[in-house]
Amino acid sequence: MNVLTFNAGSSSLKVGIYSVDGERARPLFARTLSMEPTAAGATAAVNATLDNELPSEIAFDAVGHRMVFGGPEDAPALASPELFARLARFERLDPLHAPAALAALRTTHERLAHLPNVLCFDTAFFRDLPERARILPIENPDPNFLRRYGFHGLSYDYVRATLGGRLGSRAILAHLGSGASLAALKDGKPIESTMGFSPLGGILMATRPGDLDPGILLYLLEDRQQSPAHLRELLEERSGLRAISGGERDLRRLLERADDPRAILAVDAFCTSVVKAVGALAALLGGLDTVVFTGGVGEHLAPIRSSIVGRLALFGMKLDEKANAVHADVISAPTSAVTVRVVTTDENATIARATSALVHATAERMR
């Protein structure tokens, strides 16, 4: 089966066509288009793709999309009026991602109505988290919905499928990009994630703060009279690296500003937040066999990986600087007690596999 995939991000639309055979998804076509992170921007980018970008010689049998958050019902789902109605509420809860993702799905559902259109959720990878990793320590009127979920699951699923047994029994996966998180896997199953109810929490990110003392938000609401809308903008667009550095969110550019104290501080704060997360997750795992870097920062910024690994020597972790400089698959030294890897993630491949599996399962049920 050939699957057309769409992954609407914060500034781009990643498009791919994959030939899927069971658990294998072979890329046939890939394109990345610039996109405004709005419903209108996603609609325009998808229409441009369908009109001008796809190769005419490659046919496809189904369409798959990424959705960051869909609440507790996060198994891959076929597009339908009921699905759109259920997910409409999340456009307000996740304005960074949901409006664009739903607009992209609506567009292909209308224009490619003769094909199955499938939505795949980032949170599904963490569906079986232990209860202690799911609960929130507050009086909770709706614990099934208001809980910790975990994100970047499509990326983590790809890494797990790619490495298989090479992950070892105790692994930490670090998806480091504009959005960033870490996940702990025990025998291949996730037991903890740094992100919780939303993609705002966890480690420091490009424009998001990561974990933040709730008292700060109460102070801004009550003493500074800031509105919820202003707080949302602050947390989604004006925090993290951008706030610490004085306006720059891109770690590449921050690394270039070697004489700028605020840039140095921002890079140090980011690496420190990752190191703290690795330490906490390693304690839960009872040790470490493997650390995997992925995502735009994790895959491409050797100085960031070097800074992080260098601070984790207490685990017996040692970096091969030459391997790290060329982004080798394995960047740990032969004498390292922990294997450190770099994996180029492909969320669209995970979408393609999940879409194919659902379409085949649906066809089997209808026989």
Side-chain angles (χ1 to χ4, degrees):
M1 172 182 289
N2 287 354
V3 180
L4 171 65
T5 60
F6 291 93
N7 184 344
S10 58
S11 61
S12 65
L13 178 70
K14 294 181 180 178
V15 183
I17 301 176
Y18 293 80
S19 174
V20 183
D21 182 7
E23 290 299 310
R24 296 183 58 191
R26 181 168 58 91
L28 304 177
F29 168 83
R31 185 79 79 243
T32 299
L33 286 76
S34 296
M35 183 195 80
E36 289 293 324
T38 62
T43 299
V46 171
N47 279 326
T49 299
L50 297 178
D51 291 337
N52 304 309
E53 298 292 336
L54 298 179
S56 58
E57 69 274 14
I58 303 178
F60 45 88
D61 311 290
V63 186
H65 290 261
R66 174 193 178 214
M67 181 82 176
V68 170
F69 182 68
E73 298 176 54
D74 57 9
L78 287 164
S80 67
E82 294 76 18
L83 179 69
F84 286 122
R86 176 169 70 83
L87 295 179
R89 64 183 294 196
F90 303 127
E91 293 193 70
R92 179 178 58 82
L93 289 176
D94 184 23
L96 276 179
H97 306 100
L102 285 175
L105 179 63
R106 287 190 183 98
T107 302
T108 63
H109 189 234
E110 293 170 2
R111 294 194 55 180
L112 303 173
H114 59 292
L115 297 177
N117 280 250
V118 175
L119 198 56
C120 303
F121 296 92
D122 244 351
T123 55
F125 180 79
F126 296 100
R127 185 182 300 116
D128 297 322
L129 277 177
E131 185 176 5
R132 59 169 170 73
R134 295 158 57 96
I135 60 170
L136 293 173
I138 59 172
E139 188 173 292
N140 194 341
D142 189 4
N144 185 50
F145 175 75
L146 195 59
R147 59 173 174 82
R148 299 183 74 251
Y149 287 87
F151 295 86
H152 295 122
L154 296 172
S155 174
Y156 292 138
D157 191 276
Y158 178 83
V159 171
R160 180 176 64 180
T162 298
L163 293 178
R166 289 175 290 170
L167 272 176
S169 176
R170 303 165 300 178
I172 293 176
L173 314 184
H175 181 104
L176 307 182
S178 294
S181 71
L182 290 86
L185 273 62
K186 180 73 169 179
D187 297 323
K189 297 181 180 179
I191 65 164
E192 185 59 275
S193 169
T194 55
M195 279 184 171
F197 176 69
S198 80
L200 291 171
I203 65 171
L204 184 71
M205 289 170 270
T207 63
R208 296 172 244 167
D211 290 341
L212 190 66
D213 182 346
I216 295 170
L217 302 181
L218 291 175
Y219 169 78
L220 293 174
L221 280 168
E222 296 170 352
D223 285 57
R224 301 298 294 270
Q225 304 299 309
Q226 293 193 9
S227 68
H230 186 272
L231 285 183
R232 178 174 289 282
E233 181 189 2
L234 173 70
L235 295 173
E236 292 177 346
E237 300 294 341
R238 296 191 288 110
S239 297
L241 293 172
R242 173 171 283 169
I244 296 172
S245 70
E248 181 55 67
R249 54 171 284 171
D250 191 325
L251 274 167
R252 286 184 180 84
R253 296 193 181 98
L254 289 170
L255 287 169
E256 293 169 356
R257 288 161 49 178
D259 298 325
D260 182 343
R262 294 192 69 171
I264 294 169
L265 178 62
V267 172
D268 181 51
F270 176 80
C271 293
T272 299
S273 72
V274 176
V275 170
K276 289 167 63 177
V278 171
L281 295 177
L284 286 177
L285 289 167
L288 263 181
D289 298 312
T290 309
V291 170
V292 182
F293 289 98
T294 191
V297 170
E299 295 166 20
H300 301 296
L301 294 190
I304 297 297
R305 295 194 300 259
S306 180
S307 177
I308 292 168
V309 174
R311 305 185 202 190
L312 295 168
L314 78 161
F315 294 105
M317 208 178 300
K318 299 177 183 178
L319 195 67
D320 181 331
E321 293 290 356
K322 290 183 178 179
N324 184 48
V326 297
H327 315 298
D329 293 342
V330 176
I331 60 171
S332 48
T335 56
S336 179
V338 178
T339 302
V340 184
R341 295 181 176 273
V342 178
V343 173
T344 301
T345 195
D346 189 348
E347 293 170 324
N348 283 34
T350 305
I351 294 168
R353 288 198 305 267
T355 298
S356 175
L358 179 60
V359 171
H360 282 300
T362 303
E364 286 293 323
R365 287 196 300 268
M366 295 177 66
R367 285 184 178 178

